[in-house]
Amino acid sequence: GAGVSQSPSNKVTEKGKDVELRCDPISGHTALYWYRQSLGQGLEFLIYFQGNSAPDKSGLPSDRFSAERTGGSVSTLTIQRTQQEDSAVYLCASSLGWANEKLFFGSGTQLSVL
Amino acid sequence: GENVEQHPSTLSVQEGDSAVIKCTYSDSASNYFPWYKQELGKRPQLIIDIRSNVGEKKDQRIAVTLNKTAKHFSLHITETQPEDSAVYFCAARGGGAGSYQLTFGKGTKLSVIP
């Protein structure tokens, strides 16, 4: 596609529910990143994929968070049993490869946990 | 891991004046330092970057300087315009084998007053 696409753009959920956030990277980009942006905070690294593999999952805040990537393309970030502190903007970015540093960001998913 | 500190958190300047944002990093092996601009409600976009083998880089009204010894780098915007108003994020990427993670600062909200 023309850019990194994320869906939904907004998600309101009740505490305790599971949510799935989707990222469709730029075609041909092998590296994919998830970041979380809380109000007034920087971009917190969550996880990185090179192809379908996630070399480092240590950025995930808790075991309620998981992510997968299939076919070297679309990625899904899943948050189980959501908590209010999970409320944030979840940004996805892609790059040509891990050695190609320029990240192209999606517009993000604004998650609100009530 | 890498730690990036960014100052100031907010900055107001008169149109036409210069703006300077400063960042420090902790990992002496870091070798790549990008700056991203995020306009209100939009995705972060790369505006300029610098690698550790270069001390300064310019692109029209923006420039970045790097002091490896002191482990700090700065963004300089000259002749500021209202459209420069945004949140600016600095970042650093570690230099270790397989390093891929960009660590971001918490951002500087720049307001250019007409």
Side-chain angles (χ1 to χ4, degrees):
Chain A
V4 178
S5 177
Q6 290 187 248
S7 61
S9 56
N10 283 281
K11 177 69 176 180
V12 180
T13 190
E14 294 180 350
K15 177 181 173 181
K17 299 286 188 183
D18 298 350
V19 295
E20 282 190 355
L21 312 180
R22 176 188 168 105
C23 173
D24 197 346
I26 293 173
S27 178
H29 281 196
T30 61
L32 186 147
Y33 306 77
W34 283 98
Y35 283 86
R36 179 167 71 174
Q37 185 174 28
S38 302
L39 189 63
Q41 299 296 310
L43 301 172
E44 177 190 3
F45 171 81
L46 298 179
I47 191 169
Y48 154 79
F49 287 93
Q50 178 57 41
N52 293 334
S53 300
D56 184 358
K57 301 179 181 179
S58 62
L60 296 176
S62 74
D63 58 8
R64 296 185 295 104
F65 287 71
S66 63
E68 65 175 13
R69 188 179 185 195
T70 55
S73 182
V74 172
S75 176
T76 302
L77 177 68
T78 301
I79 309 173
Q80 295 179 310
R81 305 182 302 281
T82 52
Q83 303 294 313
Q84 289 183 333
E85 60 262 30
D86 298 334
S87 296
V89 175
Y90 289 82
L91 287 164
C92 175
S94 69
S95 68
L96 279 171
W98 76 265
N100 189 302
E101 301 98 340
K102 182 176 180 178
L103 300 187
F104 294 83
F105 282 89
S107 295
T109 293
Q110 171 73 63
L111 175 65
S112 300
V113 182
L114 305 179
Chain B
E2 176 68 275
N3 182 48
V4 176
E5 299 285 339
Q6 182 171 349
H7 300 280
S9 57
T10 60
L11 178 61
S12 292
V13 298
Q14 292 289 332
E15 181 177 358
D17 287 350
S18 296
V20 180
I21 303 170
K22 299 182 179 181
C23 288
T24 60
Y25 61 98
S26 60
D27 184 357
S28 58
S30 288
N31 59 12
Y32 175 68
F33 309 90
W35 288 87
Y36 282 79
K37 174 184 180 182
Q38 186 176 29
E39 297 178 34
L40 188 63
K42 297 189 176 181
R43 67 193 74 189
Q45 291 190 309
L46 179 70
I47 56 171
I48 194 167
D49 56 14
I50 192 168
R51 289 174 174 75
S52 58
N53 59 346
V54 176
E56 184 177 5
K57 183 177 179 181
K58 291 183 179 180
D59 183 3
Q60 299 182 354
R61 296 187 298 107
I62 60 173
V64 58
T65 59
L66 172 65
N67 183 326
K68 289 176 56 180
T69 302
K71 291 189 287 187
H72 69 69
F73 55 113
S74 301
L75 178 71
H76 304 253
I77 306 174
T78 59
E79 301 172 20
T80 53
Q81 301 170 3
E83 53 264 37
D84 295 330
S85 296
V87 178
Y88 291 81
F89 293 97
C90 64
R93 191 178 92 158
S99 292
Y100 49 80
Q101 180 185 149
L102 275 179
T103 301
F104 285 85
K106 292 190 175 182
T108 296
K109 182 178 181 181
L110 173 65
S111 300
V112 179
I113 304 164

